[in-house]
Amino acid sequence: MSEKKKVVAIVGAGLVGSLEACYLAKRDTEVHVYEYRGDIRQMEHVSGRSINLAMSVRGLGALEGVGLGEHVKQEYGIPMHARMIHNRDGSTNPIPYGKENQAIYSVGRRYVNEILLDAGSKYENITFHFNHKLIKANLDKPELTFERTDVEDESKKTVVITPDLVIGCDGAFSAVRKEMMKRPRFNYSQEYIPHAYMELSIPAIGGEFSMPPNYLHIWPRGQFMMIGLPNQDKSFTVTLFMPTSTFENIKDRDSLLHFFNDNFRDSIPLIGIERLVDDYFSNRALPLVSVKCNPYNVGSKSLIMGDAAHAMVPFYGQGMNCGMEDCLVLEDALDKNNMDFGLALEDYSKTRNPDAEAMCDLAMYNYVEMRDLVNKKSFLIRKKLDNFLHWLLPSWWVPLYTSVTFSRMRYHKCVSNRAWQDSALGNISSLVGFCGLACSVWLVSFSLPDMKLDPKQFLSYMLTIPSMAQKEL
């Protein structure tokens, strides 16, 4: 007698939910995906977040597992090999991300979601249920209650299911996570940063890009910034990040144009004055939130993934990549524990949480880097030094951005690796300074023989300074 197929219900048919459905279907699991919206493949316009994203190694690796990685990389995505910094005076300068052949890829959120839905639709054991809004959940049974928004008949409006496993991939304001928060010992925190974002657009000119396309364009301005990513239709999506108070102070056409003339003058002819005014005042500034929680599972019955577990601000370009990599980490846990949901979910939660929280912190840090530090000489010097040491010792010295974006090193190890590098460079700098000072004193002692200075005694004294300083600190 054959073993009954396990039934998994995934809440959310976005990037992570549709990808995880494909992975589970390959394991001969019966998968049902529930989405509160309609099928985006049949929509003219899809409301929501940014239309384009930066995909890197982690996301591409996850897509490769369902046969889509090479297509996105080679046939669809636009490679971005460097940041292009736009200075106030209109000059530009590129800062490469890594080695010459390394790039991140600008991709459309909707397109990636649609090809994942198409991939899922090819599996006989995946069923998509659109227009189903989760209104109640018992995560111990588990039992989910949905309200259908596409029917008027009250007798058909409510749908109740009892799968073997529930996976919440329903975003930063997850309904599944909301149920978890009612449970004891569930840790949760969220942080709205004082900045908001607004999307604008730079149109194509004569059917061509109006700026060099193979760059992530950045206008860093200290407390605020603007970034531009190329789209497949030769336009750029431009995202303005500023403190909420700055958005609120721009109240009319004159104040908007004055602000852009002061800070982003070179972008005005690219966007167009009328388009800038229309887009700015027809959109609204949207908040940015970071979410951390733990654990990600309720026994063997429920799990949250993607933004539902670890929503992050977008400044490292890892939100999508981290969410997609969740699928690979869960795959490893299921393999390791022979598809035992109880053991695998516990393993996944303990393994993934420190990495996801480290990435949330890195995303916060990178906002400071992008809007401010990229203009500082110290940042450029450190980047050149990191790249040189990585070229010289590729397996021993891996820069932070390289480890996060161009490898699958665990995120928390990327952070500890950077801390080690900072410490090493600090010690080297101190040693160089100490040797320089010691050599100077040595030369003085021989140049001025009448001076009563014993070089050996001096060096012995100098060697005690680091330990003395450490005690004081």
Side-chain angles (χ1 to χ4, degrees):
M1 182 177 177
S2 61
E3 186 178 347
K4 182 183 176 183
K5 281 187 179 181
K6 292 183 178 180
V7 179
V8 179
I10 297 177
V11 182
L15 299 175
V16 178
S18 52
L19 176 60
E20 181 55 33
C22 293
Y23 273 107
L24 288 171
K26 291 170 64 178
R27 292 179 174 274
D28 200 30
T29 302
E30 183 181 336
V31 185
H32 293 265
V33 185
Y34 295 85
E35 169 60 48
Y36 79 92
R37 300 174 298 179
D39 188 342
I40 63 169
R41 293 170 293 181
Q42 301 172 9
M43 295 181 184
E44 184 176 345
H45 173 71
V46 179
S47 61
R49 295 173 294 170
S50 174
I51 64 171
N52 61 356
L53 302 159
M55 184 171 285
S56 53
V57 164
R58 298 172 196 264
L60 289 168
L63 287 178
E64 190 57 36
V66 295
L68 295 173
E70 281 302 303
H71 164 66
V72 169
K73 182 177 179 180
Q74 301 293 344
E75 301 174 23
Y76 175 73
I78 300 174
M80 299 180 291
H81 298 281
R83 296 165 170 165
M84 181 64 80
I85 306 301
H86 293 249
N87 302 305
R88 285 182 187 271
D89 62 5
S91 63
T92 59
N93 59 283
I95 303 177
Y97 281 122
K99 297 177 180 178
E100 188 175 342
N101 62 338
Q102 289 179 326
I104 57 178
Y105 294 83
S106 180
V107 299
R109 177 189 293 275
R110 178 173 180 169
Y111 178 83
V112 176
N113 204 162
E114 287 183 351
I115 63 172
L116 283 169
L117 291 172
D118 286 343
S121 297
K122 294 176 183 177
Y123 288 95
E124 292 184 356
N125 51 332
I126 295 180
T127 305
F128 289 100
H129 306 267
F130 297 103
N131 299 296
H132 281 63
K133 181 181 179 180
L134 181 64
I135 57 175
K136 186 179 178 182
N138 181 326
L139 300 181
D140 290 301
K141 283 188 176 182
E143 180 182 274
L144 302 180
T145 303
F146 295 93
E147 179 185 50
R148 291 189 61 179
T149 59
D150 59 340
V151 296
E152 297 295 331
D153 188 342
E154 289 296 327
S155 65
K156 297 180 180 179
K157 259 191 173 305
T158 302
V159 176
V160 180
I161 61 167
T162 54
D164 296 303
L165 172 65
V166 170
I167 300 180
C169 301
D170 49 340
F173 303 100
S174 167
V176 177
R177 188 187 67 231
K178 186 177 179 181
E179 291 299 319
M180 287 187 174
M181 289 171 63
K182 299 174 183 177
R183 305 176 64 84
R185 295 185 175 85
F186 182 82
N187 299 308
Y188 172 81
S189 67
Q190 71 175 35
E191 179 183 355
Y192 281 95
I193 66 173
H195 295 69
Y197 76 98
M198 178 185 290
E199 289 194 346
L200 306 170
S201 178
I202 292 178
I205 297 178
E208 295 298 330
F209 287 107
S210 58
M211 298 188 296
N214 298 119
Y215 298 92
L216 192 156
H217 293 262
I218 306 177
W219 289 257
R221 300 295 184 262
Q223 286 301 307
F224 48 88
M225 72 171 180
M226 193 163 69
I227 66 171
L229 272 72
N231 295 315
Q232 281 65 25
D233 64 359
K234 306 297 178 71
S235 67
F236 282 85
T237 296
V238 177
T239 310
L240 180 60
F241 297 97
M242 301 194 299
T244 304
S245 57
T246 305
F247 276 111
E248 292 171 349
N249 287 335
I250 299 174
K251 301 181 183 299
D252 52 34
R253 177 190 181 100
D254 289 343
S255 58
L256 173 64
L257 294 179
H258 178 75
F259 177 80
F260 265 73
N261 266 309
D262 281 350
N263 297 288
F264 309 114
R265 182 172 300 178
D266 65 324
S267 73
I268 296 176
L270 298 172
I271 300 173
I273 291 178
E274 295 309 319
R275 176 187 287 269
L276 172 60
V277 174
D278 290 346
D279 286 356
Y280 187 91
F281 290 109
S282 62
N283 291 322
R284 62 189 181 93
L286 300 173
L288 292 162
V289 67
S290 179
V291 170
K292 296 178 181 179
C293 63
N294 186 45
Y296 295 150
N297 67 304
V298 175
S300 62
K301 301 298 185 180
S302 308
L303 180 70
I304 50 176
M305 300 172 68
D307 282 357
H310 46 71
M312 60 192 68
V313 293
F315 305 118
Y316 224 113
Q318 286 295 304
M320 167 187 62
N321 291 287
C322 182
M324 288 184 164
E325 190 184 44
D326 285 354
C327 300
L328 295 178
V329 178
L330 182 57
E331 281 292 288
D332 291 342
L334 290 169
D335 284 340
K336 178 182 174 183
N337 295 284
N338 299 312
M339 278 293 285
D340 183 310
F341 283 165
L343 295 175
L345 269 55
E346 189 74 18
D347 188 2
Y348 171 85
S349 186
K350 288 180 179 179
T351 300
R352 194 56 172 162
N353 178 259
D355 292 321
E357 295 202 358
M359 191 59 245
C360 286
D361 293 337
L362 277 174
M364 287 286 199
Y365 159 77
N366 210 46
Y367 184 37
V368 178
E369 177 176 304
M370 290 178 72
R371 77 189 192 207
D372 191 20
L373 297 184
V374 291
N375 273 338
K376 296 185 182 297
K377 288 184 179 179
S378 58
F379 170 81
L380 298 175
I381 291 171
R382 172 60 187 267
K383 191 160 185 67
K384 288 181 183 295
L385 178 59
D386 275 338
N387 289 339
F388 171 73
L389 290 172
H390 184 48
W391 170 80
L392 190 66
L393 305 159
S395 61
W396 184 71
W397 191 280
V398 183
L400 176 62
Y401 190 88
T402 299
S403 63
V404 169
T405 307
F406 299 118
S407 83
R408 282 202 59 214
M409 181 187 292
R410 291 185 61 182
Y411 287 123
H412 84 276
K413 289 188 176 180
C414 296
V415 174
S416 60
N417 187 52
R418 172 63 176 228
W420 172 83
Q421 291 172 353
D422 288 343
S423 176
L425 288 178
N427 290 336
I428 291 170
S429 298
S430 299
L431 182 61
V432 169
F434 162 72
C435 291
L437 180 59
C439 289
S440 298
V441 173
W442 192 289
L443 287 171
V444 169
S445 68
F446 282 100
S447 300
L448 301 172
D450 293 335
M451 178 179 283
K452 302 291 185 180
L453 179 65
D454 184 345
K456 290 183 179 180
Q457 287 183 342
F458 173 76
L459 287 173
S460 297
Y461 172 72
M462 290 295 289
L463 287 170
T464 66
I465 290 178
S467 59
M468 290 168 61
Q470 191 172 20
K471 287 179 181 178
E472 289 298 319
L473 293 172

